[in-house]
Amino acid sequence: MNRRQFISQLGLISAMGLVPKSLLALGDTATSTFELFRQALQKNPELLGYQNYTQERVVDQLEIEGQFPADFNGRLFRNGPALFERNAIRYGHLFEGDGMIQAFTFKQGQVSFRNKFVQTHKFKTEQAADRFLYDFSDIGIPNPLPISSADTINPANTNILPVGDELWALWEAGSAYGVNPDTLETSGVIGLNDQLKGMPFSAHPKVEADGTIWNFGLDYGSGQIIIYQLNARGQLKKYGLIDSGYHAILHDFLITKNHLLFILPPLSIDVNAGSFMQQQKFDKNQAMRVLVVDKNNLQVKSAHEFPACFMFHFGNAWEEKDGTLKFDGCRYPDFNVMTVLGDVMAGQTSPNKQSLSQTVVFSIHPNGQTKQAFFDGLSEFPRIYPSLTGLKNTKVFTTSGHPDAETMHSIRSVNLETGHIDLFDYGRDYLVEEHIVVEQGQKAQSNGWLLGTALHWPSKRSCVSLFKAENLSAGPIARAWLPFHIPLGFHGNFKPQRV
Ligand SMILES: [Fe+2]
C-alpha cells in the first residue's frame, strides 16, 4: 500500500471513527436531561455558565474598573460550547454544544465585545431545520440524518487560534473552520491539501516562537496519529503518521526543540459499552505511555512509561542540557473528571475533589529512568509564556480552587523550580475560566500580562481581567464588565493589534 492509499484509508477510518451512536453522551435521555437541568438551575444559580445560549451580541464599550494600559491593544478570542438545546432536547455532555466565539477588543484603554456562532455544517443545517438533526449523542433525536464523516457533526467548539490573517476554530476529531477576526463570520472548512481532507486536526496546536505550527489528529479506529507541521500562515510544510496503538481520547500533546511528545493515558475501548464516552475504560493498573517522536523524520524515537493517570492538558515540554526530557501537565488520578463533565449537563455539580487535578512535572532521563514531581493545589487550563513553547520554562499559569468548592475560583502561577505559588482568589462567587499569558515588547517574560474571563453568578455578568503575570496576588490592574453573562468556554488566544 503506498502512502496515498494509506492516507485515503485513514480518512475513511477517521470518518467512521465517529459514526458510533454517541460521541460523548452519558446517562439520562435528552428530555430528562433538559428537565433535570431546568429544575437544578432554579435552585443553583452557579449553573448559569452551562445554560443554553443563543444570543449573538455586540457591546461597544464595557464598564471598566481600574485602567487598562493605553498600549495594551489587541483581541482576546475564546471558544466554547454554547448551544446545548433545541426543542426541549438537551445534550448529555458539556463537550457536545455548538461552538461560539467570543471576542474582547482592547483599544487604547477601552474594551468592546462581540460573539458569534461558528457556522459549521452542523450548526447551519440544524438552524435551518430548527431542530437537532444528528443523533451522535444517542439522545433519541427523531428521524436523524446519517453521519457521513466526522465533519458532519463537527461543532468547532474547543479552541480558537490566530493563523495568518484569520482565526481557526478548532475541535478534536475534524477539520478547522476559518473565522474572520473582525466580523467573526465563518469562511469555511480549512483545507490543508486534498489528501488530508476531513482528517482530524486537534484543538491544541503548538506554536513555536518563529510561528511554526505543530498539531496532530488521532484516528480512533486505526490508532494512527497524523502529525502536521505548518508555517505561520497555516500552509502545510510536512505531515507524517505514527502507529500509537492507542484508540481512546487524546486531547493535547507537546513539543520540545527536537521532539514531539504524545502522552497516552491507560484508556482502552470496550465496543460493547454503549456510547463512545462510555466505551472509554481507564485501567489504573496499566501505565501511562509517552511516545517521543523525532521532529525531523516524524518517527517514534523512544517510548516510556509512568504510573497510571489521566490528563487533558499540558503546560510545556523542554530538553535539559543533559538530554533529560521534561514536561508538565494537570494530572487526574483517574478518569472521573469525564463523568463530572457529563453530570453537569443534568444540573449535577460536585466538589472539585471529585475530579482533582494537580500540576506534575514528569522527567525522562537519558538512561530511560523516569520521575514525577508533584505540586500542591488544584490546577487546570495550564498556560505559559508563549515564546517559551518547547523551550525550558519556569512558571506555569493555571486556574485553581479549593477542593471543597464546586468551581475553579482562583488563578495562580507555579514556579516549577522553587514550588512558589503566586495566587489570586476571585472568590467563590466566580466561575473562573482559562487565563492566558500575553507578552508585549522587550523583556516579555518579566513584563507579561495574564488575561482571562470569569462569570460572576450572583450578578449574572461576565468580566475580563488583566493582571501583571509576575504579581498575580496584587489582583487585577483592570477589569471590564459585560452587562450580561456569557457561557463558560474552553480555550482562547490573544492577537496583538497595532492602533
Ligand atoms: Fe483543551
Side-chain angles (χ1 to χ4, degrees):
M1 183 182 297
N2 65 32
R3 192 172 188 80
R4 188 185 179 95
Q5 289 171 320
F6 192 75
I7 292 287
S8 173
Q9 189 178 70
L10 178 66
L12 182 62
I13 293 167
S14 179
M16 294 173 66
L18 285 181
V19 171
K21 277 188 173 180
S22 171
L23 180 62
L24 290 169
L26 292 173
D28 301 296
T29 66
T31 303
S32 63
T33 302
F34 175 87
E35 189 57 33
L36 286 168
F37 185 83
R38 194 185 66 79
Q39 292 171 10
L41 182 61
Q42 292 174 347
K43 297 175 192 161
N44 183 0
E46 291 184 47
L47 289 167
L48 191 65
Y50 307 102
Q51 191 177 25
N52 187 51
Y53 204 92
T54 58
Q55 300 96 325
E56 295 184 328
R57 291 158 145 156
V58 175
V59 180
D60 291 331
Q61 198 161 319
L62 275 65
E63 178 188 332
I64 292 176
E65 293 173 4
Q67 194 166 9
F68 286 91
D71 64 350
F72 186 79
N73 298 309
R75 289 185 180 134
L76 171 66
F77 298 102
R78 287 182 45 74
N79 193 356
L83 192 147
F84 298 108
E85 300 170 1
R86 292 184 191 270
N87 304 319
I89 294 177
R90 182 173 170 86
Y91 283 140
H93 199 280
L94 182 63
F95 292 177
E96 295 172 338
D98 290 292
M100 188 191 80
I101 309 302
Q102 308 162 4
F104 293 88
T105 299
F106 301 84
K107 187 175 180 182
Q108 296 178 315
Q110 300 297 317
V111 185
S112 59
F113 171 84
R114 73 170 59 220
N115 70 308
K116 200 172 276 290
F117 281 92
V118 186
Q119 299 292 308
T120 61
H121 165 81
K122 173 183 179 297
F123 183 80
K124 283 198 296 186
T125 53
E126 292 184 337
Q127 279 291 94
D130 193 26
R131 69 181 187 96
F132 286 137
L133 295 173
Y134 305 103
D135 203 10
F136 60 89
S137 188
D138 202 13
I139 53 177
I141 290 166
N143 305 314
L145 297 183
I147 299 168
S148 58
S149 75
D151 276 341
T152 305
I153 54 167
N154 181 350
N157 66 1
T158 310
N159 200 352
I160 182 90
L161 181 74
V163 179
D165 295 329
E166 62 180 350
L167 307 170
W168 288 9
L170 304 170
W171 186 44
E172 186 156 313
S175 305
Y177 270 87
V179 173
N180 181 300
D182 298 320
T183 63
L184 302 187
E185 296 288 347
T186 303
S187 58
V189 171
I190 300 293
L192 297 173
N193 73 18
D194 288 345
Q195 285 187 323
L196 299 177
K197 196 175 178 184
M199 292 290 99
F201 190 85
S202 294
H204 285 282
K206 299 292 178 278
V207 183
E208 296 179 335
D210 70 355
T212 298
I213 300 166
W214 292 89
N215 200 14
F216 78 98
L218 170 68
D219 174 61
Y220 304 112
S222 69
Q224 299 280 343
I225 293 174
I226 183 164
I227 297 167
Y228 308 90
Q229 186 191 23
L230 316 177
N231 67 20
R233 299 199 63 76
Q235 296 161 327
L236 188 67
K237 288 175 76 175
K238 67 179 178 186
Y239 65 92
L241 291 161
I242 61 167
D243 187 359
S244 71
Y246 180 79
H247 304 270
I249 287 173
L250 189 61
H251 187 66
D252 197 358
F253 81 122
L254 287 159
I255 64 169
T256 68
K257 186 179 176 204
N258 298 301
H259 300 100
L260 310 166
L261 272 59
F262 294 97
I263 291 93
L264 311 175
L267 288 168
S268 59
I269 295 291
D270 177 358
V271 293
N272 298 314
S275 76
F276 183 69
M277 195 62 235
Q278 290 161 332
Q279 290 176 7
Q280 315 275 321
K281 299 298 174 194
F282 183 85
D283 186 346
K284 66 181 190 317
N285 297 314
Q286 295 292 318
M288 176 183 81
R289 293 188 293 135
V290 179
L291 302 182
V292 179
V293 173
D294 189 315
K295 269 182 171 176
N296 289 316
N297 60 22
L298 304 186
Q299 298 294 308
V300 177
K301 188 172 167 183
S302 61
H304 310 271
E305 293 188 347
F306 287 90
C309 67
F310 175 74
M311 289 178 279
F312 282 119
H313 299 124
F314 308 106
N316 195 26
W318 67 93
E319 294 158 18
E320 298 281 1
K321 285 178 183 165
D322 69 354
T324 299
L325 288 170
K326 289 196 171 185
F327 65 93
D328 72 278
C330 294
R331 176 194 183 275
Y332 296 86
D334 52 37
F335 200 51
N336 193 40
V337 59
M338 202 59 85
T339 305
V340 169
L341 291 172
D343 289 348
V344 77
M345 293 304 285
Q348 297 171 43
T349 56
S350 54
N352 288 326
K353 61 190 170 194
Q354 294 298 317
S355 54
L356 202 61
S357 65
Q358 68 182 120
T359 293
V360 175
V361 174
F362 301 83
S363 301
I364 303 170
H365 294 277
N367 64 3
Q369 202 176 27
T370 58
K371 282 185 189 165
Q372 302 177 89
F374 291 72
F375 293 81
D376 288 340
L378 202 69
S379 72
E380 246 304 352
F381 294 112
R383 298 297 293 243
I384 60 162
Y385 283 104
S387 63
L388 296 178
T389 301
L391 306 175
K392 183 177 172 65
N393 68 298
T394 306
K395 285 190 177 176
V396 61
F397 298 81
T398 76
T399 58
S400 193
H402 193 280
D404 290 330
E406 294 186 353
T407 66
M408 290 295 207
H409 54 82
S410 55
I411 53 161
R412 65 179 198 166
S413 67
V414 183
N415 186 312
L416 301 176
E417 292 179 350
T418 66
H420 176 74
I421 287 174
D422 179 22
L423 182 142
F424 174 75
D425 189 356
Y426 275 77
R428 294 198 188 190
D429 289 351
Y430 286 81
L431 300 153
V432 172
E433 302 181 275
E434 179 187 67
H435 281 48
I436 67 169
V437 185
V438 178
E439 294 170 318
Q440 255 191 326
Q442 299 290 312
K443 297 182 181 174
Q445 287 146 42
S446 54
N447 294 328
W449 303 101
L450 195 70
L451 180 67
T453 48
L455 195 167
H456 184 245
W457 53 264
S459 67
K460 298 185 177 180
R461 294 190 303 162
S462 297
C463 62
V464 58
S465 302
L466 184 71
F467 301 79
K468 287 188 173 177
E470 294 300 317
N471 193 5
L472 301 181
S473 56
I477 66 158
R479 182 175 288 176
W481 286 96
L482 285 165
F484 46 78
H485 86 280
I486 45 179
L488 297 174
F490 289 138
H491 302 290
N493 286 288
F494 187 81
K495 185 179 171 87
Q497 202 165 27
R498 285 198 191 133
V499 174

